[in-house]
Amino acid sequence: MGRVALVTGGSRGIGEAISKGLKAAGFDVAATYAGNDEAAAKFTEETGIKTYKWNVGSYEESKAGIEKVEAEIGPIDVVVANAGITRDAPFHKMTPEQWQQVIDTNLTGVFNTVHPVWPGMRERKFGRVIVISSINGQKGQFGQVNYAATKAGDLGIVKSLAQEGARAGITANAICPGYIATEMVMAVPEKVRESIIAQIPAGRLGEPEEIARCVAFLASDDAGFINGSTISANGAQFFV
Ligand SMILES: NC(=O)c1ccc[n+]([C@@H]2O[C@H](COP(=O)([O-])OP(=O)(O)OC[C@H]3O[C@@H](n4cnc5c(N)ncnc54)[C@H](OP(=O)(O)O)[C@@H]3O)[C@@H](O)[C@H]2O)c1
């Protein structure tokens, strides 16, 4: 039996590329999603990867969902906390609801996804935790106080988990993508997209597959000594 990988938000966008990349690398993959049944069904039909629906913001739903995945596919060796949302507004207009929704999904969602699989990883003395953060967690972003706070929080999570998991053969790392050509970014007006690209020294958006290849490497045995790191994949837009 191959190693098992769980990808939250693994049915669309960057997560879809990650799910496919891990499958190509030999993992048995489970992908989760929040509510877009149509996209999930299409994804499963095209890839053969099973999808599971739960809200990562709920600890109970996450725990029950993870138990189901482990019963159907096997103990989870690799967990990719990718599910994320934006609720942008300048700070003076940001509502407590916009703040809370993003905190629940992007930050508490990482706790809810990793915490239930952690004891099994410790017992089996192997684990890979990979969190999809963002360039905007590194540098901040106008209109994204909520989002940037969660994505900066991801970096604190992996640096702490790395220290706790190292002796048990578990690594925890973050990837900070810059602007990636997902549906969301491709849907913005061409002029806005051009102004985004103008800020990227590489002169182009990143491809979801470029993030997926980082994940596949971090998930591999070869990456065992890389622990607590942040990989920036942003076409030279920002350096830490
Ligand atoms: N796109 C970029 O340029 C970019 C740049 C930097 C970082 N990121 C980060 O990369 C990750 C993926 O972004 P993306 O652009 O690929 O997003 P996306 O295309 O909007 O896809 C988001 C995925 O997450 C799922 N999801 C959302 N809320 C959820 C919840 N509460 N519970 C469970 N699943 C949930 C969605 O499920 P449904 O299909 O059911 O809605 C979907 O599968 C995010 O963490 C994002 O912050 C993206």
Side-chain angles (χ1 to χ4, degrees), residues 122-146:
R122 276 165 52 89
E123 258 172 48
R124 295 187 299 278
K125 298 271 178 278
F126 181 86
R128 296 279 188 266
V129 176
I130 301 156
V131 182
I132 307 303
S133 174
S134 168
I135 184 175
N136 292 345
Q138 297 173 299
K139 70 173 187 58
Q141 177 62 28
F142 186 101
Q144 290 197 323
V145 164
N146 49 2

PDB file of all heavy atoms in Angstrom, residues 122-146:
ATOM      1  N   ARG A 122       2.749  10.608  14.879  1.00  0.00           N
ATOM      2  CA  ARG A 122       3.717  10.411  15.972  1.00  0.00           C
ATOM      3  C   ARG A 122       3.920   8.919  16.255  1.00  0.00           C
ATOM      4  O   ARG A 122       5.051   8.452  16.429  1.00  0.00           O
ATOM      5  CB  ARG A 122       3.221  11.110  17.245  1.00  0.00           C
ATOM      6  CG  ARG A 122       3.569  12.601  17.285  1.00  0.00           C
ATOM      7  CD  ARG A 122       2.776  13.332  18.351  1.00  0.00           C
ATOM      8  NE  ARG A 122       2.878  12.684  19.651  1.00  0.00           N
ATOM      9  CZ  ARG A 122       3.809  12.931  20.573  1.00  0.00           C
ATOM     10  NH1 ARG A 122       4.731  13.825  20.332  1.00  0.00           N
ATOM     11  NH2 ARG A 122       3.809  12.305  21.716  1.00  0.00           N
ATOM     12  N   GLU A 123       2.807   8.188  16.262  1.00  0.00           N
ATOM     13  CA  GLU A 123       2.889   6.743  16.542  1.00  0.00           C
ATOM     14  C   GLU A 123       3.680   6.005  15.469  1.00  0.00           C
ATOM     15  O   GLU A 123       4.499   5.145  15.755  1.00  0.00           O
ATOM     16  CB  GLU A 123       1.478   6.141  16.543  1.00  0.00           C
ATOM     17  CG  GLU A 123       0.901   5.879  17.915  1.00  0.00           C
ATOM     18  CD  GLU A 123      -0.557   5.481  17.793  1.00  0.00           C
ATOM     19  OE1 GLU A 123      -0.880   4.609  16.957  1.00  0.00           O
ATOM     20  OE2 GLU A 123      -1.373   6.083  18.513  1.00  0.00           O
ATOM     21  N   ARG A 124       3.398   6.362  14.205  1.00  0.00           N
ATOM     22  CA  ARG A 124       4.029   5.654  13.077  1.00  0.00           C
ATOM     23  C   ARG A 124       5.416   6.204  12.762  1.00  0.00           C
ATOM     24  O   ARG A 124       6.096   5.724  11.867  1.00  0.00           O
ATOM     25  CB  ARG A 124       3.117   5.723  11.844  1.00  0.00           C
ATOM     26  CG  ARG A 124       1.793   4.982  12.011  1.00  0.00           C
ATOM     27  CD  ARG A 124       1.013   4.933  10.709  1.00  0.00           C
ATOM     28  NE  ARG A 124       0.661   6.246  10.206  1.00  0.00           N
ATOM     29  CZ  ARG A 124      -0.375   6.966  10.618  1.00  0.00           C
ATOM     30  NH1 ARG A 124      -1.183   6.482  11.543  1.00  0.00           N
ATOM     31  NH2 ARG A 124      -0.614   8.154  10.118  1.00  0.00           N
ATOM     32  N   LYS A 125       5.806   7.277  13.454  1.00  0.00           N
ATOM     33  CA  LYS A 125       7.138   7.888  13.290  1.00  0.00           C
ATOM     34  C   LYS A 125       7.389   8.364  11.863  1.00  0.00           C
ATOM     35  O   LYS A 125       8.499   8.289  11.334  1.00  0.00           O
ATOM     36  CB  LYS A 125       8.260   6.908  13.702  1.00  0.00           C
ATOM     37  CG  LYS A 125       8.212   6.499  15.164  1.00  0.00           C
ATOM     38  CD  LYS A 125       9.013   7.469  16.017  1.00  0.00           C
ATOM     39  CE  LYS A 125       8.981   7.161  17.486  1.00  0.00           C
ATOM     40  NZ  LYS A 125       7.781   7.654  18.166  1.00  0.00           N
ATOM     41  N   PHE A 126       6.330   8.845  11.238  1.00  0.00           N
ATOM     42  CA  PHE A 126       6.480   9.483   9.921  1.00  0.00           C
ATOM     43  C   PHE A 126       5.314  10.430   9.687  1.00  0.00           C
ATOM     44  O   PHE A 126       4.165  10.079   9.966  1.00  0.00           O
ATOM     45  CB  PHE A 126       6.504   8.463   8.767  1.00  0.00           C
ATOM     46  CG  PHE A 126       6.671   9.140   7.423  1.00  0.00           C
ATOM     47  CD1 PHE A 126       7.932   9.440   6.938  1.00  0.00           C
ATOM     48  CD2 PHE A 126       5.550   9.511   6.674  1.00  0.00           C
ATOM     49  CE1 PHE A 126       8.081  10.114   5.713  1.00  0.00           C
ATOM     50  CE2 PHE A 126       5.700  10.191   5.451  1.00  0.00           C
ATOM     51  CZ  PHE A 126       6.970  10.473   4.974  1.00  0.00           C
ATOM     52  N   GLY A 127       5.633  11.590   9.159  1.00  0.00           N
ATOM     53  CA  GLY A 127       4.563  12.506   8.776  1.00  0.00           C
ATOM     54  C   GLY A 127       5.104  13.685   7.988  1.00  0.00           C
ATOM     55  O   GLY A 127       6.272  14.066   8.118  1.00  0.00           O
ATOM     56  N   ARG A 128       4.246  14.224   7.158  1.00  0.00           N
ATOM     57  CA  ARG A 128       4.574  15.426   6.387  1.00  0.00           C
ATOM     58  C   ARG A 128       3.391  16.378   6.508  1.00  0.00           C
ATOM     59  O   ARG A 128       2.282  16.046   6.072  1.00  0.00           O
ATOM     60  CB  ARG A 128       4.785  15.087   4.904  1.00  0.00           C
ATOM     61  CG  ARG A 128       5.990  14.167   4.631  1.00  0.00           C
ATOM     62  CD  ARG A 128       7.260  15.010   4.631  1.00  0.00           C
ATOM     63  NE  ARG A 128       8.404  14.246   4.189  1.00  0.00           N
ATOM     64  CZ  ARG A 128       9.243  13.612   5.019  1.00  0.00           C
ATOM     65  NH1 ARG A 128       9.053  13.626   6.331  1.00  0.00           N
ATOM     66  NH2 ARG A 128      10.287  12.977   4.544  1.00  0.00           N
ATOM     67  N   VAL A 129       3.631  17.536   7.109  1.00  0.00           N
ATOM     68  CA  VAL A 129       2.603  18.572   7.198  1.00  0.00           C
ATOM     69  C   VAL A 129       3.036  19.709   6.276  1.00  0.00           C
ATOM     70  O   VAL A 129       4.144  20.237   6.419  1.00  0.00           O
ATOM     71  CB  VAL A 129       2.467  19.098   8.646  1.00  0.00           C
ATOM     72  CG1 VAL A 129       1.464  20.257   8.709  1.00  0.00           C
ATOM     73  CG2 VAL A 129       2.055  17.976   9.588  1.00  0.00           C
ATOM     74  N   ILE A 130       2.179  20.042   5.323  1.00  0.00           N
ATOM     75  CA  ILE A 130       2.510  21.110   4.366  1.00  0.00           C
ATOM     76  C   ILE A 130       1.348  22.106   4.362  1.00  0.00           C
ATOM     77  O   ILE A 130       0.192  21.726   4.120  1.00  0.00           O
ATOM     78  CB  ILE A 130       2.741  20.517   2.953  1.00  0.00           C
ATOM     79  CG1 ILE A 130       3.890  19.497   2.998  1.00  0.00           C
ATOM     80  CG2 ILE A 130       3.026  21.633   1.945  1.00  0.00           C
ATOM     81  CD1 ILE A 130       3.871  18.458   1.910  1.00  0.00           C
ATOM     82  N   VAL A 131       1.654  23.351   4.694  1.00  0.00           N
ATOM     83  CA  VAL A 131       0.603  24.367   4.789  1.00  0.00           C
ATOM     84  C   VAL A 131       0.789  25.373   3.649  1.00  0.00           C
ATOM     85  O   VAL A 131       1.895  25.875   3.426  1.00  0.00           O
ATOM     86  CB  VAL A 131       0.644  25.086   6.156  1.00  0.00           C
ATOM     87  CG1 VAL A 131      -0.494  26.099   6.255  1.00  0.00           C
ATOM     88  CG2 VAL A 131       0.542  24.073   7.295  1.00  0.00           C
ATOM     89  N   ILE A 132      -0.304  25.644   2.926  1.00  0.00           N
ATOM     90  CA  ILE A 132      -0.235  26.621   1.835  1.00  0.00           C
ATOM     91  C   ILE A 132      -0.558  28.004   2.415  1.00  0.00           C
ATOM     92  O   ILE A 132      -1.708  28.319   2.705  1.00  0.00           O
ATOM     93  CB  ILE A 132      -1.191  26.269   0.675  1.00  0.00           C
ATOM     94  CG1 ILE A 132      -0.957  24.815   0.198  1.00  0.00           C
ATOM     95  CG2 ILE A 132      -0.997  27.264  -0.474  1.00  0.00           C
ATOM     96  CD1 ILE A 132       0.457  24.479  -0.247  1.00  0.00           C
ATOM     97  N   SER A 133       0.489  28.780   2.596  1.00  0.00           N
ATOM     98  CA  SER A 133       0.377  30.133   3.126  1.00  0.00           C
ATOM     99  C   SER A 133       0.236  31.092   1.939  1.00  0.00           C
ATOM    100  O   SER A 133      -0.455  30.770   0.965  1.00  0.00           O
ATOM    101  CB  SER A 133       1.602  30.430   4.003  1.00  0.00           C
ATOM    102  OG  SER A 133       1.613  31.765   4.429  1.00  0.00           O
ATOM    103  N   SER A 134       0.905  32.238   1.976  1.00  0.00           N
ATOM    104  CA  SER A 134       0.789  33.199   0.864  1.00  0.00           C
ATOM    105  C   SER A 134       1.866  34.262   0.968  1.00  0.00           C
ATOM    106  O   SER A 134       2.296  34.625   2.075  1.00  0.00           O
ATOM    107  CB  SER A 134      -0.581  33.876   0.915  1.00  0.00           C
ATOM    108  OG  SER A 134      -0.603  34.988   0.039  1.00  0.00           O
ATOM    109  N   ILE A 135       2.247  34.808  -0.164  1.00  0.00           N
ATOM    110  CA  ILE A 135       3.136  35.974  -0.191  1.00  0.00           C
ATOM    111  C   ILE A 135       2.576  37.100   0.692  1.00  0.00           C
ATOM    112  O   ILE A 135       3.319  37.840   1.334  1.00  0.00           O
ATOM    113  CB  ILE A 135       3.334  36.473  -1.654  1.00  0.00           C
ATOM    114  CG1 ILE A 135       4.331  37.623  -1.736  1.00  0.00           C
ATOM    115  CG2 ILE A 135       2.002  36.897  -2.272  1.00  0.00           C
ATOM    116  CD1 ILE A 135       4.650  38.065  -3.169  1.00  0.00           C
ATOM    117  N   ASN A 136       1.241  37.185   0.763  1.00  0.00           N
ATOM    118  CA  ASN A 136       0.642  38.285   1.527  1.00  0.00           C
ATOM    119  C   ASN A 136       0.699  38.056   3.035  1.00  0.00           C
ATOM    120  O   ASN A 136       0.497  38.992   3.804  1.00  0.00           O
ATOM    121  CB  ASN A 136      -0.785  38.555   1.036  1.00  0.00           C
ATOM    122  CG  ASN A 136      -0.776  39.113  -0.376  1.00  0.00           C
ATOM    123  OD1 ASN A 136       0.265  39.552  -0.856  1.00  0.00           O
ATOM    124  ND2 ASN A 136      -1.913  39.072  -1.053  1.00  0.00           N
ATOM    125  N   GLY A 137       1.013  36.852   3.452  1.00  0.00           N
ATOM    126  CA  GLY A 137       1.313  36.586   4.855  1.00  0.00           C
ATOM    127  C   GLY A 137       2.723  37.030   5.207  1.00  0.00           C
ATOM    128  O   GLY A 137       3.047  37.278   6.373  1.00  0.00           O
ATOM    129  N   GLN A 138       3.577  37.116   4.194  1.00  0.00           N
ATOM    130  CA  GLN A 138       4.967  37.553   4.408  1.00  0.00           C
ATOM    131  C   GLN A 138       5.078  39.075   4.383  1.00  0.00           C
ATOM    132  O   GLN A 138       5.830  39.658   5.144  1.00  0.00           O
ATOM    133  CB  GLN A 138       5.880  36.965   3.311  1.00  0.00           C
ATOM    134  CG  GLN A 138       5.960  35.451   3.320  1.00  0.00           C
ATOM    135  CD  GLN A 138       6.731  34.926   2.115  1.00  0.00           C
ATOM    136  OE1 GLN A 138       6.348  35.142   0.972  1.00  0.00           O
ATOM    137  NE2 GLN A 138       7.820  34.229   2.370  1.00  0.00           N
ATOM    138  N   LYS A 139       4.318  39.706   3.482  1.00  0.00           N
ATOM    139  CA  LYS A 139       4.524  41.156   3.291  1.00  0.00           C
ATOM    140  C   LYS A 139       3.332  42.008   3.684  1.00  0.00           C
ATOM    141  O   LYS A 139       3.417  43.231   3.676  1.00  0.00           O
ATOM    142  CB  LYS A 139       4.919  41.443   1.835  1.00  0.00           C
ATOM    143  CG  LYS A 139       3.806  41.244   0.820  1.00  0.00           C
ATOM    144  CD  LYS A 139       4.255  41.723  -0.554  1.00  0.00           C
ATOM    145  CE  LYS A 139       3.137  41.720  -1.573  1.00  0.00           C
ATOM    146  NZ  LYS A 139       1.958  42.528  -1.245  1.00  0.00           N
ATOM    147  N   GLY A 140       2.169  41.365   4.006  1.00  0.00           N
ATOM    148  CA  GLY A 140       0.953  42.144   4.233  1.00  0.00           C
ATOM    149  C   GLY A 140       0.369  42.596   2.913  1.00  0.00           C
ATOM    150  O   GLY A 140       1.047  42.541   1.867  1.00  0.00           O
ATOM    151  N   GLN A 141      -0.885  43.036   2.936  1.00  0.00           N
ATOM    152  CA  GLN A 141      -1.518  43.487   1.689  1.00  0.00           C
ATOM    153  C   GLN A 141      -2.689  44.404   2.003  1.00  0.00           C
ATOM    154  O   GLN A 141      -3.515  44.078   2.875  1.00  0.00           O
ATOM    155  CB  GLN A 141      -2.012  42.274   0.873  1.00  0.00           C
ATOM    156  CG  GLN A 141      -2.747  42.596  -0.405  1.00  0.00           C
ATOM    157  CD  GLN A 141      -1.877  43.347  -1.428  1.00  0.00           C
ATOM    158  OE1 GLN A 141      -0.647  43.215  -1.462  1.00  0.00           O
ATOM    159  NE2 GLN A 141      -2.509  44.179  -2.234  1.00  0.00           N
ATOM    160  N   PHE A 142      -2.758  45.510   1.317  1.00  0.00           N
ATOM    161  CA  PHE A 142      -3.891  46.439   1.457  1.00  0.00           C
ATOM    162  C   PHE A 142      -5.202  45.659   1.299  1.00  0.00           C
ATOM    163  O   PHE A 142      -5.368  44.905   0.343  1.00  0.00           O
ATOM    164  CB  PHE A 142      -3.777  47.517   0.367  1.00  0.00           C
ATOM    165  CG  PHE A 142      -4.801  48.621   0.483  1.00  0.00           C
ATOM    166  CD1 PHE A 142      -4.461  49.843   1.039  1.00  0.00           C
ATOM    167  CD2 PHE A 142      -6.106  48.429   0.041  1.00  0.00           C
ATOM    168  CE1 PHE A 142      -5.405  50.857   1.145  1.00  0.00           C
ATOM    169  CE2 PHE A 142      -7.053  49.436   0.155  1.00  0.00           C
ATOM    170  CZ  PHE A 142      -6.712  50.656   0.703  1.00  0.00           C
ATOM    171  N   GLY A 143      -6.109  45.827   2.237  1.00  0.00           N
ATOM    172  CA  GLY A 143      -7.426  45.182   2.129  1.00  0.00           C
ATOM    173  C   GLY A 143      -7.457  43.755   2.630  1.00  0.00           C
ATOM    174  O   GLY A 143      -8.480  43.072   2.503  1.00  0.00           O
ATOM    175  N   GLN A 144      -6.330  43.290   3.184  1.00  0.00           N
ATOM    176  CA  GLN A 144      -6.277  41.880   3.596  1.00  0.00           C
ATOM    177  C   GLN A 144      -5.730  41.711   5.016  1.00  0.00           C
ATOM    178  O   GLN A 144      -4.934  40.808   5.268  1.00  0.00           O
ATOM    179  CB  GLN A 144      -5.433  41.064   2.614  1.00  0.00           C
ATOM    180  CG  GLN A 144      -6.085  40.887   1.253  1.00  0.00           C
ATOM    181  CD  GLN A 144      -5.463  39.762   0.451  1.00  0.00           C
ATOM    182  OE1 GLN A 144      -4.255  39.549   0.491  1.00  0.00           O
ATOM    183  NE2 GLN A 144      -6.290  39.027  -0.293  1.00  0.00           N
ATOM    184  N   VAL A 145      -6.140  42.579   5.925  1.00  0.00           N
ATOM    185  CA  VAL A 145      -5.671  42.432   7.320  1.00  0.00           C
ATOM    186  C   VAL A 145      -6.024  41.039   7.834  1.00  0.00           C
ATOM    187  O   VAL A 145      -5.196  40.362   8.466  1.00  0.00           O
ATOM    188  CB  VAL A 145      -6.299  43.526   8.211  1.00  0.00           C
ATOM    189  CG1 VAL A 145      -6.171  43.184   9.690  1.00  0.00           C
ATOM    190  CG2 VAL A 145      -5.627  44.867   7.940  1.00  0.00           C
ATOM    191  N   ASN A 146      -7.245  40.585   7.542  1.00  0.00           N
ATOM    192  CA  ASN A 146      -7.687  39.262   8.007  1.00  0.00           C
ATOM    193  C   ASN A 146      -6.868  38.139   7.354  1.00  0.00           C
ATOM    194  O   ASN A 146      -6.314  37.267   8.027  1.00  0.00           O
ATOM    195  CB  ASN A 146      -9.200  39.077   7.765  1.00  0.00           C
ATOM    196  CG  ASN A 146      -9.637  39.438   6.340  1.00  0.00           C
ATOM    197  OD1 ASN A 146      -8.820  39.795   5.483  1.00  0.00           O
ATOM    198  ND2 ASN A 146     -10.936  39.336   6.091  1.00  0.00           N
TER     199      ASN A 146
END
